[in-house]
Structures are given as C-alpha cells and as structure tokens.
Amino acid sequence: MAGELSKQHLLQSHVKRLANNIARVHGMVSIYQKVEQSNDDVTDILRSAVVFLHASLEDFLRSLASMYLPSADADVFEAIPLVGMRRPGKFTLKQVAEHRGKSVDGLIQESVIAHLERSNFNNTSEINTLLKNLGLNPANLDEQVTELGRMMSRRHEIVHRADILHASEALNELDQDTVNTWMDAVIAFRDGVLFQIEQKEVVDE
C-alpha cells in the first residue's frame, strides 16, 4: 500500500512538472503577443516555445518510462542494454559480476534509467513504441499523437535547419495559434495517457 501511494505521489510530481513547463511555454507565447505589434519579426520567440514544448513532452515521457518500464514484460528489455553497455546484446559473467550485491529488480531499474538518459522521442513511432511497452493502447491516442508528430517535425526544422525555407532563404511561417494547438495536443495526450494508466491499474489490482 505504501509503495502504491509513493508511486502515485511520484506520478503526480511528473504531471505537475509538465504543467509547470506548459505554463512556461504559454508565458513565451504571451511575450510574443506583447511585442509582435512593435517589432518587424519576433516569431523566433514562438520557435523557442516549440523547442521547449518538445523538451517538456520528452521529459514527461522519460519520467513515465522510468516509473513503469522496469516492471514491463521481459520482451521489452531486448532493446535495452545492461547498464554499463552501449548496446543491447550478449554480456559475459564478468560484466554481471560488476553488479554484485544488486537485486535483479534494482539492476533492471538502473539499466532502464541509463538507457533513458540517452533516449530521444523525435517521431510518432518512438512515442507509440513506448506506449505499447508501457502496456497502453496507442490507437486511443492517435489523434493527439498525430498532432504531436507535426510539432516534432517542426521542432526538427527549427533546430537543424534554423526553420529556413532553403529554396527562397525565407523563414517558415509560424503563428501563435499553431503553438497553442500543439500545447493543447500535449495536454490532451497527457490526460489520455493518465486515463489509460488509471484504468490499467484498476484492472491489475
């Protein structure tokens, strides 16, 4: 019982952190609204908001994964290397001996966290794979994930191409309504994930 309460408290802290980060994105959009009338082009504020919104989503996904992946089905761990190794695959008894004194559950937890520290969520396939690994149904979140895919694609253009249309050297257009739509998609995705987690825990009891 105490463990379940602790887990619930941890989940609530992750939800609160995402809410705080979304509020920060909203603040950036508000700054854009205040200065856009008196400046030629301040859409880079919105581009920064998109990058930060994506980072906030990634943080939330990693937090969920760190909580629930260690207790996932064994097949999930085929793609996760033993802590200390860079790639999943065979390891020797010597490598296992380096973890003497640890429980199996503790070693799994440590390996998952080490893997997540090197992980990114840059497309919808990676999000859907994580949802499946957590025992959730991606189909129920298809609409939200599709919108998140648009946000992630735009974030890639901003980070790796400076959001420039190379044929004309002009900036790709971005408006606050689009950023607000993506914020709403993150919130709806969060709520959908939390609903599924709650339903799954009721079934598992």
Side-chain angles (χ1 to χ4, degrees):
M1 184 68 175
E4 288 302 317
L5 289 175
S6 177
K7 200 168 190 177
Q8 186 64 27
H9 178 75
L10 182 59
L11 179 60
Q12 289 173 356
S13 72
H14 295 324
V15 172
K16 182 178 179 181
R17 187 165 69 200
L18 178 59
N20 289 339
N21 285 339
I22 291 173
R24 294 167 69 186
V25 176
H26 188 271
M28 296 170 78
V29 175
S30 297
I31 291 172
Y32 168 79
Q33 288 177 303
K34 291 177 182 178
V35 300
E36 67 167 326
Q37 302 298 328
S38 58
N39 292 269
D40 292 335
D41 188 358
V42 290
T43 52
D44 280 341
I45 297 174
L46 296 180
R47 293 183 180 89
S48 299
V50 171
V51 173
F52 189 76
L53 181 61
H54 176 262
S56 302
L57 174 64
E58 281 196 312
D59 177 68
F60 179 65
L61 291 170
R62 287 194 196 95
S63 298
L64 289 180
S66 68
M67 283 186 64
Y68 295 106
L69 268 189
S71 56
D73 293 338
D75 289 345
V76 171
F77 303 131
E78 285 187 10
I80 299 177
L82 182 71
V83 62
M85 298 180 65
R86 295 198 61 82
R87 295 180 180 83
K90 296 180 180 178
F91 46 83
T92 67
L93 192 58
K94 174 181 179 295
Q95 289 166 309
V96 175
E98 294 172 358
H99 301 283
R100 278 188 176 129
K102 299 177 182 177
S103 67
V104 172
D105 286 344
L107 186 55
I108 291 173
Q109 176 88 27
E110 192 177 344
S111 297
V112 167
I113 290 174
H115 171 69
L116 291 171
E117 288 176 353
R118 301 189 300 272
S119 298
N120 296 301
F121 296 93
N122 292 320
N123 56 61
T124 57
S125 294
E126 291 170 347
I127 291 179
N128 286 334
T129 296
L130 175 62
L131 293 175
K132 290 176 184 177
N133 288 343
L134 297 179
L136 308 181
N137 186 357
N140 292 342
L141 296 162
D142 186 62
E143 182 179 346
Q144 294 87 350
V145 172
T146 297
E147 196 61 53
L148 294 180
R150 297 188 183 101
M151 184 262 290
M152 291 186 287
S153 295
R154 189 56 181 273
R155 176 260 177 197
H156 180 87
E157 293 297 315
I158 293 169
V159 172
H160 297 287
R161 301 179 185 275
D163 213 24
I164 294 173
L165 300 171
H166 290 282
S168 63
E169 294 299 317
L171 285 173
N172 198 357
E173 292 184 1
L174 183 62
D175 57 60
Q176 66 186 61
D177 288 342
T178 299
V179 179
N180 287 333
T181 295
W182 290 338
M183 272 195 286
D184 290 343
V186 172
I187 293 169
F189 175 79
R190 175 203 65 193
D191 293 345
V193 167
L194 293 177
F195 176 77
Q196 286 199 44
I197 288 175
E198 181 180 340
Q199 294 298 107
K200 185 175 183 297
E201 289 179 345
V202 169
V203 171
D204 290 344
E205 285 181 354

